[in-house]
Amino acid sequence: MSISPHNLSFLFFQLLVLQLSSTISAIRKDIGFQEKLFCKTTVQGRYLLSDDNGYVCDALSLDPQSRCCPGKGEKFSCHGCNLLSQCCNSYEFCVSCCVNPAQTRKEQVLKVKIAKPETAGTYQSVFDFCAGRCRHNSEGVVHENAYLSDFHHCFALPSNSSGASDSLAATRLAGINVIIGRQGESCDSVCKSNGQSCVLNKLLVLNQCDIIRKYMNCKGACLASMGADQPAEVVDDAPSHMNPGACLYTRSQSMLSCDGSHRHTKRLCPCA
């Protein structure tokens, strides 16, 4: 039985369509399987890098294609970090610790402005916030030429981000009785007179302008200072050079103390 040229052309066309369809399907599968993950990384360190997956590695072990650290070692490592102050002695481990969802809430940090002007933008991701926040900033410097501590890489929310930090502060102060002491009185004395004890690690939570303003008048301003009596408010009849009416917070977190006092200030105390 002979096949006409017309039928032969039609069969050839059908075979060609089937072959092209299977080829296209195979190409699509290959593309899907070969899709790669690309990481954002820090670039500040001389020897170490941190990626947005929360790993820290040296520059030589970074995957040249994906720009990701090997998935080895501890993820979200807080090596060399003080979780109370949320400050670290290493930039890369600060970023690694910060990107941990247990440490940093995405819905809060994405509201934080990158700079102070009202026109400043906000961070696009938790990693962008952590990479920017962990760099040296004015809150960790004294006299603009020295660090307050070796732990000067901090990822805590900035003190001027009241909207983002209110709920966090309320959570960290749960069960704490915040009391304003009398002039020249220490927190140990304030809490003892109320049948309680001063909770030292909660002084760090109170040591923020937004929190101090909630409890004190701060008629002058909220100023960075140095002293074991802080956070506190300067009394109205203090000498003019002490900024009467101003509230004070300390940039040197190691100075926070329950027994500190000053004859010209009233302390803000956490008691329990």
Side-chain angles (χ1 to χ4, degrees):
M1 178 178 176
S2 61
I3 301 176
S4 67
H6 176 74
N7 289 337
L8 185 63
S9 299
F10 180 72
L11 288 173
F12 177 77
F13 176 75
Q14 286 185 316
L15 288 172
L16 181 62
V17 169
L18 288 173
Q19 185 176 4
L20 286 174
S21 298
S22 62
T23 301
I24 293 172
S25 176
I27 290 174
R28 286 177 179 171
K29 288 181 180 179
D30 289 343
I31 290 175
F33 286 125
Q34 292 179 358
E35 185 177 354
K36 287 185 178 291
L37 174 68
F38 292 92
C39 293
K40 288 184 176 181
T41 62
T42 58
V43 295
Q44 181 170 320
R46 181 179 298 179
Y47 305 109
L48 296 177
L49 296 168
S50 179
D51 67 18
D52 55 3
N53 289 323
Y55 288 103
V56 177
C57 63
D58 61 80
L60 294 177
S61 64
L62 196 71
D63 187 302
Q65 300 297 323
S66 66
R67 302 294 296 172
C68 297
C69 287
K72 300 177 182 179
E74 183 181 356
K75 187 175 184 179
F76 307 134
S77 175
C78 295
H79 176 71
C81 297
N82 182 326
L83 295 184
L84 177 61
S85 64
Q86 295 182 306
C87 293
C88 311
N89 58 13
S90 162
Y91 173 70
E92 289 74 28
F93 283 102
C94 176
V95 175
S96 174
C97 188
C98 174
V99 296
N100 186 346
Q103 296 292 340
T104 304
R105 295 174 60 182
K106 181 178 181 180
E107 62 271 22
Q108 289 183 331
V109 301
L110 295 189
K111 299 176 183 177
V112 176
K113 288 190 174 294
I114 297 173
K116 289 184 179 180
E118 289 295 325
T119 55
T122 55
Y123 293 100
Q124 298 300 306
S125 68
V126 172
F127 178 79
D128 289 342
F129 167 82
C130 294
R133 187 66 182 153
C134 284
R135 291 191 181 95
H136 312 311
N137 58 74
S138 60
E139 294 180 26
V141 179
V142 62
H143 304 312
E144 298 184 357
N145 60 3
Y147 296 120
L148 289 169
S149 164
D150 289 338
F151 294 80
H152 51 259
H153 300 285
C154 302
F155 58 89
L157 288 165
S159 58
N160 63 351
S161 59
S162 57
S165 60
D166 282 350
S167 59
L168 179 60
T171 300
R172 296 177 69 183
L173 289 173
I176 296 298
N177 187 18
V178 180
I179 304 174
I180 300 174
R182 294 187 297 269
Q183 181 176 340
E185 191 176 19
S186 72
C187 281
D188 277 337
S189 176
V190 172
C191 295
K192 186 177 180 180
S193 64
N194 284 270
Q196 298 179 311
S197 298
C198 174
V199 185
L200 178 61
N201 62 4
K202 296 303 180 181
L203 279 172
L204 184 67
V205 184
L206 297 179
N207 189 48
Q208 305 175 54
C209 287
D210 295 325
I211 305 301
I212 300 172
R213 288 192 181 103
K214 286 186 176 181
Y215 296 96
M216 295 178 151
N217 294 324
C218 304
K219 291 180 290 186
C222 187
L223 307 172
S225 184
M226 301 286 283
D229 62 311
Q230 293 152 27
E233 182 180 24
V234 183
V235 295
D236 292 336
D237 59 356
S240 59
H241 71 275
M242 293 189 65
N243 299 297
C247 287
L248 306 176
Y249 71 95
T250 180
R251 286 180 173 174
S252 180
Q253 296 165 358
S254 62
M255 295 188 70
L256 292 172
S257 168
C258 284
D259 61 2
S261 63
H262 192 284
R263 63 194 180 99
H264 291 302
T265 63
K266 296 183 294 184
R267 293 204 63 182
L268 188 62
C269 303
C271 306

